Amino acid sequence: MVKRRRSRHSRRRAGAVAVAAFAAAFLWIGVPHALARVPFFRVRQIDLVGVKYLAPDALIAALRLPAGASVFGDAHILADRVKGVNGVADASVVRRFPGTLEVLVSEVEPAAYVPAAHGGSLVAVDGAGRQLPFDPERTGLDLPVVATADSGVISVLALVQAVDPALFRRITGARRSRRGDVLLELDTLRALVGQDLAATGRPYQELDARFAGQVVVRRRTPRAKGGA
């Protein structure tokens, strides 16, 4: 009799666990599916985080959200769509209730400018020489210029960028010598201006030497003092 009671008790406990698991699964799957039809949870805003070089409109278009899309849509699918955009290294999508999607983007780091395939303007490339859809005029990117899309030269620039960012900012160009070495061209004018500003105690945010014969100094914006 004792064994039978224990067996019945075990079956009852197993049944209760199964019912609880079914209820949890229903809540996990069924409730979001039901709430997705509620107008209160329609996507009304998209926040892009971490975007410096890519065009925001291109990233929003990559989400391919239908009219009346809900924040309960599959965030993994949306993130994969953004990851497919050239220039995106990684991405994730977070729901912010009731109607906001936050898209966190990690962009591919540009390493150099090379001439466009059909001549004319310069295009940004990554450390492997792959073209990136970064608009130099809109982003204000200050990168070394390489005469040809030489992956060996560009990879050296990417290495310097990773291990010594201060030195990388001084490089204006790079080329391969006749012996096969990579020669880096340094901007001595920008270095001299930076030294002078530091010596006279004048803070600055950025030195831009993309313009021949001159260095543009972008001052730091003073922080507003908080009220009492």
Side-chain angles (χ1 to χ4, degrees):
M1 293 295 293
V2 175
K3 290 184 179 180
R4 288 182 180 179
R5 289 178 181 176
R6 287 181 179 177
S7 178
R8 290 177 181 176
H9 179 71
S10 298
R11 287 198 298 270
R12 289 176 181 174
R13 186 169 56 182
V17 171
V19 170
F22 177 80
F26 175 78
L27 292 174
W28 182 261
I29 299 173
V31 171
H33 181 73
L35 292 177
R37 302 178 181 180
V38 179
F40 184 66
F41 295 107
R42 296 286 190 266
V43 176
R44 294 182 290 276
Q45 180 175 324
I46 299 174
D47 292 339
L48 300 177
V49 180
V51 178
K52 297 181 294 182
Y53 311 128
L54 287 163
D57 290 346
L59 294 172
I60 293 175
L63 291 170
R64 301 199 298 276
L65 290 175
S70 170
V71 292
F72 285 103
D74 195 320
H76 296 291
I77 292 178
L78 296 178
D80 287 341
R81 290 173 180 173
V82 176
K83 291 176 186 178
V85 175
N86 182 23
V88 174
D90 197 9
S92 60
V93 175
V94 179
R95 303 181 183 99
R96 301 296 184 195
F97 298 110
T100 299
L101 290 178
E102 186 176 78
V103 183
L104 295 88
V105 177
S106 175
E107 294 173 313
V108 175
E109 197 65 36
Y113 281 131
V114 301
H118 302 289
S121 61
L122 296 173
V123 295
V125 295
D126 64 11
R130 294 182 291 260
Q131 184 173 334
L132 298 169
F134 301 158
D135 184 356
E137 295 184 2
R138 186 183 63 81
T139 60
L141 273 173
D142 186 9
L143 298 171
V145 178
V146 180
T148 60
D150 187 326
S151 59
V153 174
I154 296 171
S155 65
V156 170
L157 288 173
L159 177 61
V160 175
Q161 184 182 35
V163 301
D164 194 340
L167 174 59
F168 180 79
R169 287 192 292 269
R170 292 184 54 199
I171 300 173
T172 58
R175 57 187 174 86
R176 191 180 291 276
S177 70
R178 294 181 179 178
R179 297 173 51 185
D181 300 325
V182 175
L183 304 178
L184 303 179
E185 301 170 2
L186 300 182
D187 177 21
T188 55
L189 179 59
R190 178 163 51 182
L192 290 173
V193 171
Q195 292 173 2
D196 180 68
L197 292 171
T200 55
R202 288 176 289 176
Y204 63 91
Q205 182 175 0
E206 182 183 5
L207 297 178
D208 189 344
R210 289 175 294 163
F211 308 97
Q214 60 181 309
V215 176
V216 177
V217 180
R218 295 188 175 89
R219 298 279 184 93
R220 288 180 182 170
T221 303
R223 294 182 179 178
K225 295 182 179 180

